[in-house]
Amino acid sequence: MPLSDIWFILIAVLFIGFIFLEGFDFGVGMSTKFLARNDLEKRIVMNTIGPVWDANEVWLITAGGAMFAAFPHWYATAFSGFYLPFVVLLLAFIIRGVAFEFRNKVDSKAWVKTWDWAVFIGSILPPILFGVFFTSLIRGLPIDADMNMYASFTDFVNVYTVIGGVTFVLLSYLHGLLFIGLKTVDELRERANAAARKVYALSGVFLVLFIIFTYLDTDAFTDHGTILIPLYSLALVLYGLLFFFLKTKREGLSFTMTGLVLIMIMASIFIALFPNVMISSMDPAFNMSIAEAASGDYSLKIMTIVAFTMVPIVLAYTIWSYYVFRKRLTGDKEHLEY
Amino acid sequence: MEEVLLARIQFASTTLFHFIFVPLSIGLALIIAIMQTMYVVKKDEVYLKMTKFWSVFFLINFAIGVVTGIIQEFQFGMNWSAYSRFVGDIFGAPLAIEALLAFFLESTFIGIWIFGWNKLPKKLHLACIWLVSIGTVMSAFWILAANSFMQNPTGYVLQNGRAEMNDVVALLTNEKLWVAFPHTIFGSFATGAFFVVGVSAWYLIKKRQVDFFKKSLKISLVVGMLSGLGIAFTGHAQAQYLMHAQPMKMAAAEALWEDSGDPAAWTLFAKIDVEKRETTKRIDIPYMLSYLTYSEFKGKVQGMNALEQQMIDQHGEGEYLPPVKTTFWSFRIMVITGGTLLGLGALGLFLMFRKKIMESVWFLRILIVGIFLPFIGNSFGWIMSEMGRQPWVVNGLMKTADGISPNVSAGQILFSLISFSTIYTILGIIMVVLFVKFIQRGPEEQPEEDVSATDPFETGGAGHAIK
């Protein structure tokens, strides 16, 4: 397999890791508005992701860096082409990132309320934007012969990408609720699980819509139907199983199911892209293939060595960090940092 | 061309803003790690209190540093896509490695450190803050590896219409990297140190928590003094390096139009006329430039006129002068702040050693002002380094104006520029307000009692609250 293909897979893995981990992070952030009823509950909810959200975000930063290094053309085309959506995304990440730290630093209701909104907006906007970004990637964007993208509003915002955005938001929210169910006790735990059962149907509808519109609006099924059909079928089966896990209150398995569904959705996007990194809606001749977008072999070789040494180490201490904080959070204020 | 200007303003402002927080984070991480080590070794609770008190500032600062850093990574692709295509192969690699090696380490272990106080054995918990400190330093190394490529391209070959990596060892042994990295790191340690020094001085003047802040002052003065020495030596190495690798930058930093005499004098102050290409009313220190350049009191230095002619011969007609005045004055401001820091550190330790620090209120007052010096030095050092490189984005290979995204309009850049500036201004104000608040509050009430704004048991939330 050419190194560029390996890096395509690695970047897919980074985005998959990102959506699996930061997915529940975003969901937890949304829950501060939808689930928590008072300040203590908000704090408990935020503290469930306290030790890990920052590291989860690094999956995205690493994915971005890897795109820059391994596929400079992909990075350049996508990041300049998505200029305005990315500005909004960055603003969302900024206010979210400081909100956790700032929130309990001043004794003022207005202050706390402001940062609560920042957590919420900063948690709901990114999954919407990522949904739009990834769906429009496989739908195709106006990319010219010089690899530059001149997209207008409807290239970003149309039925398919909106469905993509909403699907990402709902699945993240569900994923986050189940995470809270895993990390808290008593009433909050019960309420998170109950909310998950309520959201289940709606996010299921959007999951199905996402698959239908991927079929209608993109060439994904024509090109990769043999992989996508079993993949999506499995995702739907797992989503169906989730119904029973929710009902029988198997929290660990429920959380695993939403995680797997998110992983499959993200994987399906990279499968749909293959062997391209960008699809041009102007002319298939302008599609940017993995090979065209990639760095030189030497560069890829060096980075492959670094990645294959470092990723296992990173995974090891990441898993350890989750192990350190494996216990459920009680409402004991002494142990709440945020 | 408007796009280039706007994109440059955006890059400069976001970078400078980011570079307020990063050195402070690097410096405070080290000092907090030292304090916690003292706690674990000496088992004296005051060091634990110190660790926790100073970590409040570190964490606020770290959060802003992280979020403003994400923009840095994104805007290469957003505003400078032609540049990204040209150098991604070799410039992107250190960035990706930075994320993999440093960001994961910092962010994971800072999470464990903040939330792990009662969950981990003491020594393991201490190891976490050291890993954070190491992470911040490694992060600086990799970002400077990338930046050094822009200053002094090494380890590449021009093919397929771009600069491709062909020698990773050359990339990582780039001479520029090995003068810039230690200089930046010492500057960062000094930033953290003089912050702690200045705040401690304020408390000592007020005679609040004397023992606590004397101990803080001692640790930070030692770090500050050693960093000052480090800054001076590495600064000297940096100047010598510039003279042979980026002579134009050095000539601009000296406002030297014609070749200097032998031995060359260092210009302290001067009036610069860029139009007429002359520098008048100079106050010179004889021999000094020769010494700065060659470590001996002889040798002449090339001026901008000759250097520009060389560039024209090599790269064709065009403008090759960096902004001379900015480079000249930034260099001086940087050198003066660095020298002052070293002096403050030395005098402070002297007074401490002679047990006269408490009576020297005048000096403690100066130390409070000293908080701002490293920030000024860092910013102007960065300005000199980056402005002095113009008109090149990659020295000798690509001009800044050619690196711009062709598909992004001036309006779009203006929108992002305004958005980022607004939110950065807000963040800046908040940071200052929070810092002042926590400084005034002091370690007395820190940090265990720091609870939320509203008590759910009073606001009718008791029914849903969890016991």
Side-chain angles (χ1 to χ4, degrees):
Chain A
M1 193 190 287
L3 281 173
S4 50
D5 284 0
I6 292 180
W7 272 90
F8 182 77
I9 295 168
L10 265 172
I11 287 169
V13 168
L14 286 166
F15 275 111
I16 288 169
F18 167 72
I19 203 66
F20 174 80
L21 294 166
E22 191 108 306
F24 69 73
D25 252 51
F26 290 142
V28 168
M30 292 178 223
S31 302
T32 54
K33 272 271 172 292
F34 292 136
L35 186 76
R37 289 185 184 164
N38 57 47
D39 191 65
L40 181 65
E41 287 190 3
K42 277 185 190 149
R43 292 185 64 199
I44 295 171
V45 165
M46 287 180 205
N47 273 272
T48 60
I49 54 166
V52 294
W53 70 266
D54 196 1
N56 291 347
E57 211 168 273
V58 176
W59 285 80
L60 172 71
I61 296 171
T62 309
M67 274 172 83
F68 194 173
F71 300 101
H73 290 300
W74 189 9
Y75 171 77
T77 304
F79 280 52
S80 62
F82 277 89
Y83 197 89
L84 292 179
F86 277 11
V87 172
V88 178
L89 179 72
L90 288 170
L91 293 172
F93 274 128
I94 291 177
I95 57 169
R96 179 177 199 261
V98 292
F100 294 116
E101 190 58 45
F102 285 177
R103 187 182 183 278
N104 69 349
K105 291 284 186 286
V106 175
D107 287 341
S108 141
K109 274 191 183 166
W111 172 270
V112 174
K113 215 171 169 186
T114 306
W115 294 113
D116 281 349
W117 275 106
V119 168
F120 179 70
I121 294 168
S123 300
I124 199 164
L125 275 181
I128 293 175
L129 291 163
F130 280 114
V132 169
F133 174 71
F134 283 114
T135 43
S136 56
L137 269 193
I138 56 173
R139 184 174 180 263
L141 288 153
I143 295 165
D144 66 14
D146 293 328
M147 295 190 179
N148 282 310
M149 169 180 154
Y150 294 87
S152 56
F153 185 74
T154 48
D155 290 309
F156 297 139
V157 182
N158 49 64
V159 178
Y160 178 50
T161 58
V162 170
I163 289 172
V166 176
T167 309
F168 269 54
V169 168
L170 288 172
L171 285 177
S172 299
Y173 182 47
L174 187 58
H175 198 37
L177 285 170
L178 293 171
F179 185 74
I180 296 171
L182 269 177
K183 298 295 290 181
T184 56
V185 292
D186 302 334
E187 206 201 306
L188 194 54
R189 175 182 176 186
E190 293 299 319
R191 198 151 11 97
N193 290 332
R197 287 193 288 274
K198 273 185 210 153
V199 180
Y200 176 81
L202 186 61
S203 66
V205 169
F206 271 88
L207 180 63
V208 172
L209 280 176
F210 171 81
I211 296 169
I212 292 172
F213 275 82
T214 302
Y215 174 72
L216 294 175
D217 243 25
T218 74
D219 295 332
F221 280 82
T222 2
D223 297 342
H224 301 285
T226 44
I227 309 174
L228 286 183
I229 292 169
L231 183 76
Y232 283 140
S233 309
L234 183 60
L236 289 173
V237 168
L238 293 179
Y239 200 80
L241 276 176
L242 175 60
F243 179 79
F244 295 100
F245 294 140
L246 284 174
K247 222 171 178 183
T248 51
K249 294 181 182 158
R250 305 284 294 273
E251 289 168 327
L253 281 170
S254 301
F255 178 73
T256 311
M257 289 305 123
T258 50
L260 286 174
V261 170
L262 275 169
I263 287 173
M264 288 169 171
I265 295 288
M266 190 56 94
S268 76
I269 285 162
F270 283 86
I271 291 165
L273 271 177
F274 191 87
N276 299 304
V277 291
M278 294 287 276
I279 293 169
S280 174
S281 55
M282 292 165 83
D283 185 338
F286 301 155
N287 286 357
M288 195 194 295
S289 71
I290 289 175
E292 282 165 348
S295 284
D297 254 7
Y298 180 84
S299 197
L300 292 177
K301 209 185 293 169
I302 296 294
M303 287 198 305
T304 308
I305 295 167
V306 177
F308 280 90
T309 357
M310 284 314 296
V311 170
I313 299 174
V314 170
L315 279 177
Y317 63 63
T318 303
I319 291 167
W320 180 67
S321 80
Y322 280 87
Y323 174 78
V324 170
F325 301 101
R326 64 196 175 282
K327 286 210 179 101
R328 288 174 187 271
L329 281 162
T330 63
D332 182 3
K333 281 188 187 177
E334 289 284 307
H335 292 106
L336 295 180
E337 296 289 335
Y338 284 153
Chain B
M1 284 320 274
E2 207 185 341
E3 287 85 1
V4 179
L5 183 66
L6 288 169
R8 282 187 62 189
I9 294 174
Q10 180 174 311
F11 199 87
S13 54
T14 52
T15 307
L16 278 173
F17 190 78
H18 180 58
F19 203 58
I20 291 174
F21 304 95
V22 170
L24 187 58
S25 285
I26 295 174
L28 283 177
L30 175 76
I31 288 174
I32 289 167
I34 292 173
M35 288 171 172
Q36 195 175 338
T37 307
M38 305 274 273
Y39 165 63
V40 171
V41 173
K42 294 192 168 185
K43 299 187 175 59
D44 183 347
E45 289 286 319
V46 73
Y47 290 109
L48 177 65
K49 260 174 88 183
M50 273 159 67
T51 308
K52 292 203 172 182
F53 175 69
W54 296 109
S55 75
V56 173
F57 304 99
F58 169 63
L59 293 175
I60 292 170
N61 186 70
F62 187 83
I64 306 181
V66 168
V67 296
T68 53
I70 306 177
I71 290 189
Q72 297 303 97
E73 191 201 43
F74 273 57
Q75 71 176 336
F76 287 114
M78 290 165 70
N79 284 344
W80 304 98
S81 68
Y83 165 80
S84 302
R85 290 181 206 283
F86 182 64
V87 297
D89 191 289
I90 183 160
F91 179 89
L95 293 194
I97 297 173
E98 180 189 19
L100 207 53
L101 227 64
F103 290 162
F104 269 120
L105 193 72
E106 283 173 65
S107 59
T108 306
F109 284 95
I110 203 165
I112 301 175
W113 186 75
I114 300 172
F115 288 82
W117 276 101
N118 303 313
K119 292 195 168 64
L120 292 175
K122 267 187 189 159
K123 283 185 183 157
L124 193 55
H125 185 254
L126 173 66
C128 292
I129 190 72
W130 277 108
L131 286 171
V132 172
S133 172
I134 292 167
T136 61
V137 173
M138 286 211 295
S139 168
F141 176 83
W142 290 102
I143 197 72
L144 286 169
N147 179 265
S148 297
F149 174 79
M150 299 165 83
Q151 306 279 354
N152 178 38
T154 50
Y156 72 95
V157 55
L158 286 180
Q159 61 187 23
N160 304 321
R162 66 183 178 198
E164 293 194 348
M165 196 199 293
N166 72 346
D167 186 353
V168 70
V169 178
L171 180 72
L172 294 181
T173 52
N174 189 344
E175 203 190 339
K176 169 71 188 174
L177 172 61
W178 287 98
V179 291
F181 171 61
H183 194 57
T184 313
I185 286 301
F186 282 123
S188 304
F189 288 163
T191 311
F194 279 93
F195 174 77
V196 176
V197 166
V199 174
S200 303
W202 185 79
Y203 277 95
L204 292 179
I205 293 172
K206 300 225 157 196
K207 298 211 161 44
R208 273 172 71 183
Q209 305 259 326
V210 173
D211 180 49
F212 182 100
F213 285 105
K214 252 180 145 170
K215 284 198 166 76
S216 298
L217 185 69
K218 199 188 253 172
I219 293 174
S220 52
L221 268 180
V222 171
V223 175
M225 163 77 190
L226 292 176
S227 311
L229 281 175
I231 291 171
F233 281 113
T234 54
H236 180 55
Q238 177 104 276
Q240 290 187 307
Y241 160 80
L242 278 184
M243 198 55 77
H244 66 84
Q246 289 179 285
M248 182 61 105
K249 188 192 281 186
M250 202 62 203
E254 291 307 322
L256 199 63
W257 298 97
E258 298 298 332
D259 293 357
S260 76
D262 184 0
W266 190 64
T267 307
L268 193 59
F269 296 111
K271 191 164 181 287
I272 302 162
D273 192 330
V274 178
E275 294 279 299
K276 287 191 198 153
R277 293 187 166 235
E278 60 180 24
T279 305
T280 50
K281 298 189 179 161
R282 7 193 322 169
I283 300 169
D284 287 348
I285 304 175
Y287 299 102
M288 189 69 181
L289 183 57
S290 288
Y291 181 75
L292 276 177
T293 324
Y294 307 110
S295 290
E296 53 185 25
F297 294 102
K298 58 177 192 221
K300 63 179 197 172
V301 174
Q302 273 193 308
M304 282 180 278
N305 291 337
L307 289 165
E308 189 176 40
Q309 193 53 49
Q310 286 171 19
M311 289 220 183
I312 290 171
D313 295 344
Q314 208 179 339
H315 303 286
E317 285 296 324
E319 281 267 349
Y320 294 99
L321 288 189
V324 178
K325 283 185 183 175
T326 315
T327 313
F328 179 87
W329 288 111
S330 305
F331 184 46
R332 265 135 206 87
I333 295 171
M334 175 182 74
V335 169
I336 291 165
T337 48
T340 313
L341 286 178
L342 181 56
L344 287 181
L347 189 54
L349 279 181
F350 174 76
L351 290 170
M352 194 113 200
F353 184 67
R354 299 287 298 270
K355 302 207 184 306
K356 285 200 174 135
I357 196 89
M358 286 304 286
E359 295 108 79
S360 314
V361 176
W362 60 275
F363 182 71
L364 292 174
R365 288 220 177 94
I366 295 176
L367 288 182
I368 298 176
V369 183
I371 293 178
F372 301 99
L373 289 181
F375 294 101
I376 296 168
N378 294 337
S379 300
F380 282 98
W382 201 242
I383 288 171
M384 180 207 165
S385 186
E386 301 305 291
M387 291 288 254
R389 168 165 53 82
Q390 301 304 326
W392 301 104
V393 62
V394 185
N395 204 11
L397 290 184
M398 185 187 224
K399 287 196 174 168
T400 308
D402 300 328
I404 197 96
S405 301
N407 52 334
V408 177
S409 68
Q412 288 175 310
I413 307 175
L414 197 62
F415 170 73
S416 61
L417 179 58
I418 293 171
S419 318
F420 293 148
S421 319
T422 311
I423 201 143
Y424 278 11
T425 310
I426 297 170
L427 288 183
I429 294 169
I430 289 173
M431 191 199 80
V432 172
V433 170
L434 286 180
F435 269 35
V436 169
K437 179 184 136 95
F438 282 100
I439 289 171
Q440 281 174 343
R441 188 197 280 186
E444 291 96 330
E445 294 124 283
Q446 274 299 317
E448 295 290 325
E449 285 74 23
D450 182 29
V451 286
S452 66
T454 50
D455 187 343
F457 296 96
E458 281 172 8
T459 51
H464 309 294
I466 295 146
K467 256 218 143 134

